[in-house]
């Protein structure tokens, strides 16, 4: 409603601007005339002569010239515009009161969007609440970092969130800043590499590979860096070398390493031996527990995962991990149900569904 | 609400422009003073609404309201505030809004300060302004509306073209538009005079300052654009004879001619019809420039988006206004009263010569710019008319112009004395000869034309100073008298001296830069040294840095002069902008006097070297210092509010015998 009120005020102001002069018609209006200018010019010559800028004879010649023009102008002085055309004035008044608003409406209504409110960025960044979508929180942090670009901790917090939102380019930028301002660590280098891989739609580019190599140089056991270096090798067409890298990882890692399944899957993909013999450590760790404890521990982890996936269903790898866990626990029905939930949660995400299909195939769930 | 208020204000401005375009003309016809005065209040109200509209768009940019399509396409919430504001006109729609804002501003100024104009002249002038404004409001609302909304505002905008994220964008377009659009005033005055069939003395009194103001802005705008291209594009060039540059040079050339003929008109009441034609041509060339840049006919950094409907629309505006005004001229010019007479050898005659050369030079640029376009339309052949054509045609026209330039101010009005003027220019000529001889000896074996050109430049500067010496009687009268006379000189005379000297200064810069420019183009590894123009530049290292919305690769060079003393550090960089996935080169400049060292970075070569372009440009800054002097001279002249009177030289009087007072 305010908007229409403002529009009405503006229209009234415009109409008033046209009507105002009409009301004061008969009074004498200021109008310049030629004679004024010529008299001014004559005065100017006097000033020049007294300043010594032009010589006397020159000044006389100029005076003669201008006086001649002044006389002509005075003779032909136009009669002051005296006509008062009431008819025309009435037409113009109607034009201002009716035509002007009509014209404005005719142009504005098809073009404008009077129903739409303003959406400045600041309005989208209200105080943080539980219900606030992730995007707004991210925007707030970004705004903060715009003002304090050297806040390394801020970048460190922001970067993984951006990566999660699939904003890989921004994530890569954030990781770079984190490295610059919060110091270089093996994990940050590896995460940067992962973000760069995300930018390239999963291809480990040479830039990304450089980052992984740096990460591995800082910490030879960095799992993410080594996994992706393997992936780079695979993408170079050297599947066997990739398998060797991954097998070495599995051999060295503990049984509870979260990434174990991902690497095993990758290994299966390149056709390496699917399951290396369990390492000595793993056997030792597992044998330290009784059957019940072990099952309870695994159940606990699986439930945690299931709850998380219920909240955010877009994580394909998570779903696959969950299904695999149910299979390991011997609960085939639960695994099937998880697959159904995953399909429902992924919805229209074609790429995710395809990855899910591939994963399900390799699990042998339907076979 | 801001967006809609801005949109509605623009629509109201259109409605007011339509009323302003018709009612005053009717009023002048029926001789009703009140109807004619409608022009005044309508022009002021129109200015108010356009400013509201422009302010609204600026507010939308500053608050990053991504429900407005134009903001989405050209802004980014992380952009520094300055670029959010300059980004308003860093795109097609916004720049057109700036265009009409300036048009309305000039209309408003005429309305506000035009009280001493004859009523019917003012009514006609404002009506013609409103015709132009109407055409451009329609153009904006129909084909390039900056206030269109989107129902699904995205979270982030697409950012401004990185090349434009520079302080240059804050200065260059507004200045250039002030120049382009400023000429609309002299156009409106010309058309109004043709409609009325008479030229008042007030006409001349008004046209000169407006033309001068537009000319100052255009001069600064072009110079700024040239300097911007020089440091931003990374090639070290400052003028490319690019059609877009030519589009701004053409109105400048004819505007310079107009400026001089308007002086003749104000002072001597002569050259009236010619001045009117020049006023029409100058604004027509401004419109042509707008068409070339905004229609997408040309591809360049200036063409933001190409949309055929826009091109057709501007072409239509162009045809109506240029065709219409020239037809009006052909029909009515004969009705105008001819002005005063003058001998061929007189100040007037010199200014006619100036006009002839300037308009011919302008025609040359016109042909060189439009012929390739026309040929492409007709035969489909693509040809490129570049520097060789312009050097061959433009330079020969400017040499006699500059040779004649010092004579002009020394000639008397109505009847001149060429021998006397030559005598008084003797000192300047001698200085020029000495400069030539010295340069010849110093650079023997170099380009033979360069010393001649420098000699010409020295002659122009010397000529400007001779004029000053002559007027103050320095060296002849006692020093104190000369000083007193200097103080009494009208500021307009000082303006002439500065502006003419500026031309010479710019010429020195141009000749030195093109003739004695040295360069190094190659790849350097950290620790590598390049020697250019007697300076040794060592690449100390390459670093990376994060900016607000870009990532920069910075090279650090330490610079030593011939004696081995370190004189500075240069840090050219390359910036990568992620939002647009594009990069810019930031050249590093090291100024030594009026000369500059220029370093810009290329790609990293396969073996890890950094390819660089290093130039030593002697006296390059004079190229832009000259236009600054010209604009300063213009400002001096503009600040002189007195009337201009040119005292005629009475016949039958020997100049040489005339006493000082």
């Amino acid at each position: 409603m305010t908007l229409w009120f403002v529009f009405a005020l503006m229209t009234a102001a415009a109409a008033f601007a046209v009507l105002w002069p009409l009301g004061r018609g008969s009074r004498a209006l200021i109008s310049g005339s030629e004679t004024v200018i010529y008299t001014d010019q004559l005065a100017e010559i006097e000033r020049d002569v007294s300043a010594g800028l032009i010589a006397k004879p020159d000044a006389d010649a100029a005076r003669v010239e201008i006086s001649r023009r002044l006389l002509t102008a005075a003779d032909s002085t136009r009669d002051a515009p005296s006509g008062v055309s009431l008819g025309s004035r009435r037409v113009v008044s109607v034009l201002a009161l009716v035509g002007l608003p009509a014209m404005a409406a005719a142009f504005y209504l098809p073009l404008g969007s009077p129903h739409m409110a303003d959406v400045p960025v600041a309005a989208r960044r209200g105080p943080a609440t539980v219900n606030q979508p992730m995007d707004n929180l991210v925007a707030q942090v970004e705004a903060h970092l715009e003002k304090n670009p050297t806040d390394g901790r801020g970048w460190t917090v922001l970067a993984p969130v951006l990566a999660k939102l699939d904003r890989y380019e921004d994530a890569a930028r954030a990781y770079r800043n984190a490295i610059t301002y919060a110091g270089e660590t093996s994990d940050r280098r590896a995460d940067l590499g992962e973000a760069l891989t995300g930018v390239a739609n999963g291809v480990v580019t040479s830039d990304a590979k450089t980052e992984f190599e740096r990460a591995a140089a800082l910490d030879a056991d960095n799992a993410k860096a080594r996994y992706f270096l393997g992936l780079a090798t695979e993408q170079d067409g050297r599947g066997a070398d990739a398998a060797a890298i991954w097998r070495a990882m599995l051999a060295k890692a503990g049984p509870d390493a979260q990434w174990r399944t991902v690497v095993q899957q990758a290994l299966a993909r390149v056709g390496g031996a699917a399951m290396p013999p369990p390492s000595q450590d793993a056997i030792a760790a597992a044998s330290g527990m009784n059957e019940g404890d072990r099952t309870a521990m695994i159940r606990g982890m699986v439930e945690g995962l299931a709850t998380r996936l219920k909240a955010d269903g877009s994580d394909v790898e998570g779903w696959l991990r969950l299904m695999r866990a149910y299979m390991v626990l011997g609960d085939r029905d639960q695994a099937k149900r998880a697959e159904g939930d995953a399909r429902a949660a992924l919805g229209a995400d074609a790429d995710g569904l395809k990855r899910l299909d591939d994963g399900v195939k390799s699990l042998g769930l339907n076979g | 609400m801001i967006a809609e208020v801005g949109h509605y204000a623009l629509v109201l401005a259109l409605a007011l422009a339509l009323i302003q375009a018709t009612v005053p003309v009717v009023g002048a016809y029926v001789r009703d003073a009140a109807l004619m005065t409608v022009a005044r209040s309508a022009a002021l109200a129109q200015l108010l609404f356009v400013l509201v509209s422009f302010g609204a768009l600026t507010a939308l940019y500053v608050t990053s309201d991504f429900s407005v399509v134009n903001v989405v396409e050209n802004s980014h919430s992380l952009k520094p505030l300055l670029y959010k504001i300059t980004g308003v006109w860093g795109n097609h729609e916004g720049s057109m809004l700036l265009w009409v804002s300036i048009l309305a501003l000039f209309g408003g100024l005429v309305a506000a300060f035009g009280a001493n104009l004859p009523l019917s002249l003012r009514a006609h002038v404002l009506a013609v302004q409103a015709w132009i404004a109407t055409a451009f409001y329609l153009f904006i609302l129909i084909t390039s509306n900056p206030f269109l909304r989107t129902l699904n505002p995205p979270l982030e905008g697409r950012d401004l073209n990185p090349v434009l994220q520079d302080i240059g964008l804050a200065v260059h377009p507004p200045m250039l538009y002030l120049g382009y659009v400023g000429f609309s005033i002299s156009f409106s005055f010309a058309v109004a005079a043709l409609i009325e069939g008479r030229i008042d003395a007030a006409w001349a009194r008004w046209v000169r300052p407006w033309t001068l103001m537009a000319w100052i802005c255009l001069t600064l705008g072009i110079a700024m654009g040239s300097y911007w291209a020089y440091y931003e594009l990374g090639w070290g060039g400052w003028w490319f004879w690019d059609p877009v540059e030519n589009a701004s040079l053409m109105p400048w050339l004819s505007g310079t001619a107009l400026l001089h003929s308007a002086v003749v008109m104000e002072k001597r009441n002569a050259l009236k019809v010619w001045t009117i034609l020049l006023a029409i041509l100058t604004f027509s060339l401004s419109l042509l420039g707008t068409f070339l840049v905004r229609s997408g006919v040309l591809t360049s950094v200036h063409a933001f988006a190409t949309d055929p409907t826009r091109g057709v629309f501007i072409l239509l505006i162009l045809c109506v206004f240029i065709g219409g005004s020239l037809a009006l001229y052909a029909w009515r010019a004969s009705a105008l009263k001819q002005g005063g007479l003058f001998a061929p050898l007189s100040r007037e005659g010199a200014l006619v010569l100036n006009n002839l050369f300037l308009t011919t030079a302008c025609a040359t640029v016109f042909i060189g710019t439009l012929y390739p376009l026309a040929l492409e339309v007709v035969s489909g052949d693509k040809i490129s008319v570049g520097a060789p054509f312009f050097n061959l045609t433009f330079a020969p026209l400017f040499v006699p112009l500059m040779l004649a330039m010092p004579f002009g101010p020394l000639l008397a009005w109505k009847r001149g004395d060429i021998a006397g003027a030559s005598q008084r220019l003797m000192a300047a000529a001698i200085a020029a000869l000495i400069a030539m001889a010295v340069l010849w000896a110093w650079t023997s074996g170099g380009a033979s034309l360069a010393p001649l050109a420098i000699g010409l430049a020295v002659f122009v500067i010397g000529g400007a100073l001779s004029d000053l010496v002559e007027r103050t009687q320095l060296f002849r009268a006692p020093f104190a008298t000369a000083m007193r006379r200097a103080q009494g000189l009208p500021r307009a005379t000082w303006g002439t001296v500065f502006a003419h000297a500026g031309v010479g200064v710019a010429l020195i810069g141009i000749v030195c830069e093109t003739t004695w420019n040295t360069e190094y183009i190659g790849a350097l590894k950290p620790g590598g040294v390049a020697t250019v123009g007697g300076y040794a530049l060592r690449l100390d290292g390459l670093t990376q840095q994060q900016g607000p919305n870009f990532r920069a690769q910075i090279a650090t060079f330490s610079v030593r002069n011939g004696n081995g003393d370190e004189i500075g550090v240069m840090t050219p960089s390359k910036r990568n902008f992620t939002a647009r996935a594009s990069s810019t080169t930031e050249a590093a400049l090291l100024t030594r006097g009026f000369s500059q060292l220029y370093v810009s970075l290329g790609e990293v070569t396969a073996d890890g070297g950094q390819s660089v372009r290093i130039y030593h440009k002697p006296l390059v800054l004079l190229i832009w210092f000259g236009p600054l002097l010209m604009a300063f001279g213009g400002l001096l002249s503009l600040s002189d509010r007195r009337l201009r009177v040119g005292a005629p030289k009475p016949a039958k009087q020997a100049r040489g015998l005339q006493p000082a007072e």
Side-chain angles (χ1 to χ4, degrees):
Chain A
M1 243 12 244
T2 340
L3 185 69
W4 294 109
F5 182 66
V6 173
F7 281 3
L9 275 183
M10 289 165 74
T11 317
F16 177 72
V18 179
L19 290 175
W20 184 50
L22 300 182
R24 7 175 280 155
S26 51
R27 261 174 287 163
L29 284 149
I30 322 150
S31 168
S33 90
E34 283 201 282
T35 48
V36 180
I37 290 173
Y38 291 132
T39 19
D40 281 359
Q41 283 192 337
L42 284 174
E44 182 62 33
I45 292 177
E46 294 307 321
R47 219 174 310 151
D48 277 0
V49 171
S50 56
L53 289 171
I54 46 175
K56 199 109 189 139
D58 291 358
D60 289 339
R63 236 179 255 134
V64 169
E65 252 187 15
I66 294 169
S67 308
R68 208 177 292 144
R69 283 185 211 139
L70 178 60
L71 286 175
T72 334
D75 283 347
S76 66
T77 298
R78 281 178 287 181
D79 319 321
S82 52
V84 173
S85 168
L86 281 178
S88 316
R89 286 191 193 188
R90 252 177 237 128
V91 172
V92 172
S93 310
V94 172
L95 199 64
L97 289 172
V98 182
L100 192 133
M103 202 149 43
F107 267 96
Y108 177 75
L109 290 179
L111 291 171
S113 322
H115 53 277
M116 275 186 77
D118 284 355
V119 198
V121 158
R124 300 184 183 184
R125 294 175 183 163
T129 61
V130 185
N131 299 329
Q132 206 169 20
M134 192 65 141
D135 290 347
N136 283 4
L137 292 171
V138 171
Q140 272 175 5
V141 177
E142 282 182 317
H144 162 77
L145 287 170
E146 180 194 353
K147 283 176 209 125
N148 312 290
T150 56
D151 178 0
R153 232 187 99 238
W155 289 116
T156 316
V157 172
L158 179 64
V161 183
L162 290 173
K164 190 125 200 157
L165 291 171
D166 289 353
R167 287 170 57 186
Y168 294 117
E169 287 193 22
D170 295 329
R173 190 165 66 93
Y175 277 124
R176 282 210 174 97
N177 285 332
I179 291 166
T180 313
Y181 301 117
E184 184 179 31
T185 66
S186 177
D187 283 341
R188 285 186 193 134
R189 283 284 174 201
D191 289 339
L192 172 57
E194 192 182 10
L196 290 172
T197 310
V199 172
N201 289 321
V203 177
V204 183
T205 58
S206 62
D207 281 354
K209 196 174 168 196
T210 314
E211 297 301 333
F212 292 126
E213 278 162 358
R214 281 183 193 154
L218 289 167
D219 172 12
D221 288 336
N222 187 317
K224 187 178 273 177
R226 296 182 64 207
Y227 166 72
F228 274 101
L229 284 173
L231 194 62
T233 317
E234 186 202 343
Q235 286 170 356
D236 285 348
R238 293 181 285 131
D241 294 348
I245 293 174
W246 288 328
R247 237 176 257 130
M249 280 175 77
L250 288 172
K252 220 171 164 187
D256 51 346
Q258 289 177 351
W259 42 264
R260 187 172 263 283
T261 48
V262 178
V263 175
Q264 280 167 350
Q265 232 178 318
L267 206 48
R269 190 173 61 228
V270 294
M275 280 288 173
S279 67
Q280 291 301 316
D281 293 349
I283 295 168
S287 60
M289 283 184 185
N290 64 36
E291 189 68 17
D293 284 351
R294 203 157 51 222
T295 314
M297 187 185 82
I298 294 174
R299 284 256 174 233
M301 281 163 55
V302 169
E303 268 157 33
L305 185 59
T307 328
R308 185 169 73 75
L309 287 172
K310 219 164 263 169
D312 174 16
S314 65
D315 181 2
V316 179
E317 310 309 328
W319 284 114
L320 288 172
R321 217 177 314 139
L322 184 65
M323 282 183 251
R324 198 173 302 112
Y326 285 134
M327 295 281 280
V328 170
L329 290 169
D331 196 342
R332 215 184 166 82
D333 292 345
Q334 275 282 21
K336 283 250 178 208
R337 217 167 297 142
E339 188 198 343
D341 289 349
R343 280 186 199 289
L346 288 173
D349 180 3
D351 183 49
L353 284 175
K354 194 175 169 301
R355 276 188 292 150
L356 186 73
D357 283 342
D358 293 349
V360 168
K361 219 171 279 167
S362 74
L363 278 177
L365 187 58
N366 298 323
Chain B
M1 193 164 99
I2 297 176
E4 298 310 314
V5 167
H7 199 168
Y8 190 67
L10 195 61
V11 171
L12 275 181
L14 167 67
L16 280 169
L18 276 170
I19 289 179
Q20 188 190 330
T22 47
V23 172
V25 181
V26 174
Y29 187 73
V30 300
R31 304 173 65 78
D32 184 321
L35 290 184
M36 286 193 259
T37 322
V38 167
R40 190 168 178 221
S41 54
L44 290 171
Q46 189 195 322
L47 171 63
L48 174 79
F49 285 118
V50 172
L51 288 184
V52 167
S53 186
F54 190 78
L57 189 62
T58 311
L60 293 173
Y61 266 85
V62 170
T63 57
S64 295
D65 188 331
F66 293 126
S67 67
V68 178
V69 179
N70 188 247
V71 180
V72 175
E73 284 172 352
N74 299 291
S75 195
H76 193 281
S77 64
L78 293 180
K79 213 163 55 165
L81 181 66
L82 174 70
Y83 301 147
K84 281 183 184 165
I85 296 173
T86 58
V88 174
W89 57 80
N91 61 83
H92 171 78
E93 289 83 356
S95 73
M96 289 318 297
L97 190 61
L98 178 69
W99 211 96
V100 290
S101 305
I102 293 176
L103 191 67
L105 175 71
F106 281 113
L109 286 176
V110 171
F113 300 108
N116 55 356
L117 280 173
L119 202 54
S120 68
L121 178 61
R122 191 177 70 192
H124 277 122
V125 167
L126 287 175
V128 177
Q129 278 295 109
W131 298 347
I132 305 169
T134 306
F136 278 93
Y137 288 136
L138 282 174
F139 173 66
I140 292 179
L141 285 170
I142 293 172
T143 70
S144 345
N145 196 325
F147 291 108
L148 293 184
R149 312 286 292 269
T150 170
L151 282 174
N152 301 309
L155 269 170
E156 230 358 301
R158 279 181 229 152
D159 210 352
L160 179 67
N161 182 351
V163 172
L164 300 179
Q165 296 193 21
D166 186 277
I167 185 72
L169 185 62
V171 185
H172 168 61
M175 275 291 170
L176 208 60
Y177 277 11
L178 279 170
Y180 273 179
V181 182
F183 285 126
S184 73
I185 294 289
S186 36
F187 173 83
S188 298
F189 267 90
V191 173
L194 288 173
I195 293 173
E196 294 205 317
R198 50 172 287 156
I199 304 180
D200 285 299
W203 198 96
R205 189 185 177 181
W206 268 76
V207 166
R208 197 194 50 86
W210 286 107
T211 311
L212 188 55
M213 194 158 93
W215 180 86
I216 293 169
C217 293
L218 192 59
T219 306
L220 289 176
I222 294 175
M224 179 68 215
S226 157
Y227 190 64
W228 188 11
Y230 167 74
Y231 72 71
E232 181 71 34
L233 296 182
W235 290 94
W238 46 271
W239 193 264
F240 303 88
W241 293 108
D242 175 88
V244 174
E245 292 172 327
N246 294 345
S248 67
L249 184 63
M250 286 188 278
W252 187 83
L253 289 169
S254 67
T256 311
L258 172 63
L259 191 65
H260 287 89
S261 76
V263 169
V264 178
M265 201 168 146
E266 181 179 0
K267 290 194 167 186
R268 299 291 310 146
N269 211 15
L271 291 185
K272 289 178 177 177
V273 179
W274 170 242
T275 307
I276 286 199
L277 180 62
L278 270 183
I280 291 176
L281 286 181
T282 303
F283 185 62
S284 300
L285 289 168
S286 296
L287 282 179
L288 181 75
T290 310
F291 167 70
L292 287 179
V293 175
R294 286 282 155 268
S295 63
V297 171
L298 305 168
T299 27
S300 81
V301 282
H302 299 81
F304 298 121
T306 52
D307 178 349
T309 56
R310 288 175 185 166
V312 172
F313 203 119
I314 305 191
L315 194 61
L316 209 67
I317 296 179
L318 205 67
C319 291
V320 169
F321 279 95
I322 300 182
S325 56
L326 286 179
L328 189 67
Y329 178 79
W331 177 40
R332 302 282 292 191
S334 53
L336 296 173
K337 206 166 41 173
Q338 288 295 327
L341 298 172
F342 51 87
L345 268 180
S346 60
R347 183 91 70 91
E348 290 98 321
L351 287 167
V352 169
L353 190 71
N354 144 307
N355 273 220
L356 279 179
F357 279 117
L358 281 173
T359 42
T360 315
C362 184
T364 314
V365 178
F366 185 85
I367 291 168
T369 309
L370 289 194
Y371 176 68
L373 287 176
L375 190 72
E376 199 186 325
V377 171
V378 174
S379 68
D381 294 340
K382 267 187 190 285
I383 61 161
S384 147
V385 173
F389 168 82
F390 292 103
N391 290 346
L392 271 178
T393 54
F394 196 74
L397 284 168
F398 252 68
V399 169
L401 176 66
M402 292 177 79
L403 271 178
M405 197 157 97
F407 285 92
L410 287 171
L411 288 172
W413 292 105
K414 203 160 180 184
R415 295 173 191 83
D417 173 13
I418 191 83
S422 319
Q423 221 169 20
R424 275 168 271 155
L425 282 173
M426 204 54 91
I430 291 171
L433 282 174
I434 293 173
M436 273 193 264
V438 167
L439 275 172
W440 214 297
W442 185 35
T443 64
S444 53
S448 56
L449 277 176
L452 287 175
I454 298 276
L456 181 61
V458 171
F459 179 60
V460 169
I461 299 173
L465 296 176
S466 300
D467 181 30
L468 200 61
V469 169
E470 186 61 30
R471 280 170 201 266
T472 56
Q473 311 242 311
L474 191 68
F475 308 128
R476 269 190 283 161
F479 186 72
T481 320
M483 281 299 111
R484 191 174 52 77
R485 290 181 68 100
Q487 274 178 358
L489 275 186
R491 283 198 292 277
T493 308
W494 285 100
T496 310
V497 172
F498 276 108
H500 284 187
V503 178
V505 168
L507 180 63
I508 293 183
I510 291 169
V511 173
C512 287
E513 196 277 332
T514 45
T515 313
W516 293 294
N517 173 25
T518 47
E519 63 182 26
Y520 169 91
I521 297 177
L524 283 177
K525 291 194 172 167
V529 176
T531 313
V532 176
Y535 295 96
L537 289 91
R538 200 173 79 95
L539 177 60
D540 289 340
L542 298 162
T543 48
Q544 302 259 326
Q545 207 176 35
Q546 182 67 43
N549 52 351
F550 58 85
R551 185 164 177 73
Q553 162 127 30
I554 301 172
T556 313
F557 287 88
S558 53
V559 186
R560 288 171 190 282
N561 64 12
N563 302 331
D565 303 326
E566 181 153 342
I567 53 169
V569 174
M570 298 177 73
T571 52
S573 62
K574 265 182 102 74
R575 291 181 179 172
N576 276 301
F577 289 78
T578 40
R580 286 245 176 175
S582 59
S583 61
T584 62
T585 28
E586 300 292 315
L589 301 169
L590 183 73
T591 306
R592 305 280 293 165
F594 286 115
S595 308
Q596 278 190 328
L597 272 171
Y598 182 110
V599 183
S600 80
L601 297 183
E603 300 301 318
V604 175
T605 55
D607 58 347
Q610 171 70 51
S611 62
V612 289
R613 268 194 216 93
I614 306 175
Y615 303 92
H616 176 249
K617 293 177 173 290
L619 298 186
V620 68
L621 284 182
L622 291 185
I623 296 175
W624 302 289
F625 187 60
L628 277 182
L629 270 183
M630 291 184 223
F632 177 67
L635 271 179
L636 275 182
S637 178
L638 190 65
S639 72
D640 194 349
R641 297 275 303 140
R642 299 192 301 181
L643 284 172
R644 306 294 201 277
V645 183
K649 185 89 207 131
K652 293 176 202 147
Q653 192 191 355
R655 173 86 200 179
L657 297 176
Q658 186 199 318
E661 288 285 330

